[in-house]
Amino acid sequence: MDLDSLSKISTEQRNSNTLNIDSMSTIKIVEVINNEDKKVAIAVEKIKESIAKAIDIIENSFLKGGRLIYVGAGTSGRLGIIDASECPPTFGVNFEMVQGIIAGGNGAMFKAVEGAEDIKENGEKDLKEKNITKEDVICGIAASGRTPYVIGAMEYAKSIGAVVLCITMNPEGIMNKIADIPMSVKVGPEVIMGSTRMKAGTAQKLILNMLTTGAMIKYGKVYGNLMVDVQATNEKLTARAKRIVMLAVEVEEEKAIKILEYTNYDVKLAIMILKTGLDKEKSRRLLEKNKGYIQKAIEEAECEKA
């Protein structure tokens, strides 16, 4: 990227509020950073309609057996991988459903691979290795909206008919023109000029949280505001599974433990049995029929009783 192009991106401008940050007291540095961070959620709110559209697209992809694949470089790539890796333990989905790709390969997650983001062809190559189809959703992530690696992946995804999203901090970036649904947030200049791991990274994290959480809610992975597909794979998650059942059905711990042991710690099935009074197999069949959406399964059970 040439100097002229770089100078036009808001995150590459000097922040007038932090011109003398190197002379500030420690508490003042903290206050200044905190004040800048407060602006991020407000900026994200301005593109809520686009985020909502993207969530509906992702949910529709999941219903068809498609995947959500994030593509990014540096901080953007790492944030995509983090969001993807949190979906299985939170929502009980397989590790293929939401994935993250980073320029430079998995090693770049822990150590910067300089120059990897500049190779456009590698974006296409890495995405091809995922064997994507038109049922998948590809989301490019880059603060500048101009990262060649991400553009290469997005253009390839478009060429095979997949829906393409993007998250940028630069409305003028080419990625916004490629994407079917662009999500571009104006966070303004960073505290440290060009350090897009700060406000830009925070905005990206907020949007990524909304995309997967929103899509999983629509996909039936939540009952009320409880993560009913949580996998009880450690002590904390086992305790959470018990508490979810207790809260969802208003039972004591002893009864929650008993039903969870009966369902092999299938939280959703345990709630279904207690809510409807049906046996395990009938409850399981109704959940499967309703694609795991517990509220719909409960409603169908009540209709059958009536």
Side-chain angles (χ1 to χ4, degrees), residues 28-301:
K28 185 62 177 176
I29 290 171
V30 172
E31 288 173 353
V32 167
I33 293 174
N34 186 231
N35 285 335
E36 290 298 316
D37 286 343
K38 290 174 184 177
K39 301 173 183 177
V40 178
I42 295 171
V44 170
E45 182 183 18
K46 293 178 180 177
I47 64 158
K48 60 186 178 183
E49 288 83 5
S50 295
I51 297 172
K53 289 177 184 177
I55 287 171
D56 287 338
I57 286 170
I58 294 166
E59 182 220 357
N60 187 54
S61 170
F62 288 165
L63 290 171
K64 295 178 180 178
R67 302 166 293 174
L68 170 61
I69 300 177
Y70 297 127
V71 184
T75 298
S76 300
R78 294 183 190 102
L79 288 170
I81 290 173
I82 289 170
D83 191 70
S85 66
E86 291 291 347
C87 288
T90 304
F91 300 109
V93 298
N94 64 55
F95 284 89
E96 297 294 314
M97 194 169 184
V98 184
Q99 301 180 43
I101 300 173
I102 185 170
N106 290 339
M109 184 71 186
F110 306 98
K111 184 177 180 181
V113 180
E114 303 298 345
E117 67 179 57
D118 296 329
I119 306 173
K120 183 177 179 180
E121 295 77 13
N122 283 355
E124 177 178 343
K125 178 178 72 67
D126 290 350
L127 201 53
K128 279 183 176 178
E129 290 178 359
K130 294 293 182 181
N131 298 313
I132 67 166
T133 72
K134 64 181 182 179
E135 306 300 345
D136 295 322
V137 175
I138 310 304
C139 181
I141 315 170
S144 69
R146 299 168 180 261
T147 305
Y149 175 87
V150 182
I151 290 171
M154 291 174 65
E155 289 180 342
Y156 171 67
K158 288 280 283 190
S159 74
I160 68 164
V163 176
V164 176
L165 315 173
C166 78
I167 302 171
T168 78
M169 305 299 121
N170 176 23
E172 304 305 317
I174 190 172
M175 285 169 53
N176 299 290
K177 297 177 176 62
I178 299 170
D180 297 295
I181 304 289
M183 292 167 278
S184 189
V185 184
K186 296 179 181 180
V187 295
E190 296 286 6
V191 168
I192 305 300
M193 190 184 78
S195 183
T196 53
R197 69 187 183 87
M198 301 188 77
K199 289 196 296 184
T202 300
Q204 290 170 343
K205 181 68 167 65
L206 290 176
I207 296 169
L208 294 171
N209 285 349
M210 291 181 191
L211 292 180
T212 45
T213 303
M216 293 297 177
I217 291 169
K218 302 273 288 184
Y219 190 56
K221 293 295 181 178
V222 174
Y223 178 58
N225 62 355
L226 303 172
M227 55 170 82
V228 287
D229 269 315
V230 64
Q231 302 296 296
T233 54
N234 60 33
E235 288 185 11
K236 181 187 77 173
L237 295 177
T238 299
R240 181 175 291 162
K242 295 174 188 175
R243 190 158 186 269
I244 287 171
V245 172
M246 291 169 66
L247 290 170
V249 197
E250 298 182 349
V251 295
E252 297 300 318
E253 182 179 1
E254 185 178 347
K255 189 166 185 178
I257 292 172
K258 186 175 181 180
I259 192 68
L260 283 168
E261 289 175 345
Y262 176 62
T263 61
N264 195 27
Y265 273 79
D266 185 326
V267 174
K268 190 177 282 184
L269 183 58
I271 293 171
M272 183 72 184
I273 292 169
L274 291 175
K275 278 283 188 180
T276 64
L278 298 173
D279 62 36
K280 183 160 60 174
E281 290 311 310
K282 177 65 174 176
S283 295
R284 195 190 306 279
R285 282 197 298 273
L286 278 174
L287 283 170
E288 290 174 353
K289 181 180 178 182
N290 288 279
K291 301 185 185 301
Y293 205 127
I294 189 169
Q295 185 59 48
K296 291 180 180 177
I298 290 171
E299 289 171 1
E300 182 169 338

